[in-house]
Amino acid sequence: MSLLGKGLILVGLLTVLLGVVFLFAEKIPIIGKLPGDFVFQVGGAKIFAPLATCLLLSLIISFILSIVQSHR
């Protein structure tokens, strides 16, 4: 299989995984409710800045990728 084909399969799998995450994100109680997640309301606009959630997800993804790379 060519490199382009493998890349397209990887992009497809990541898209499906992201879709599943968005589908079940509301059912995970900790997502978006950590102490470092900020919500600003100005008039009718609501701005959500999930800083702590992004840091936590970054740590989890980095840990998973480091495990995957160590087994290569």
Side-chain angles (χ1 to χ4, degrees):
M1 196 174 353
S2 71
L3 186 62
L4 178 63
K6 289 180 182 179
L8 287 173
I9 289 172
L10 181 65
V11 168
L13 290 174
L14 289 175
T15 303
V16 169
L17 182 65
L18 188 63
V20 169
V21 167
F22 283 144
L23 184 64
F24 293 111
E26 294 177 355
K27 295 179 172 110
I28 301 172
I30 196 169
I31 299 294
K33 293 181 177 78
L34 293 173
D37 295 338
F38 302 106
V39 178
F40 303 102
Q41 283 189 311
V42 179
K46 186 175 185 180
I47 300 171
F48 182 62
L51 298 177
T53 301
C54 288
L55 286 173
L56 179 65
L57 290 176
S58 176
L59 286 171
I60 292 170
I61 291 169
S62 296
F63 180 70
I64 292 170
L65 289 176
S66 70
I67 290 173
V68 168
Q69 283 185 339
S70 68
H71 289 297
R72 283 185 150 187

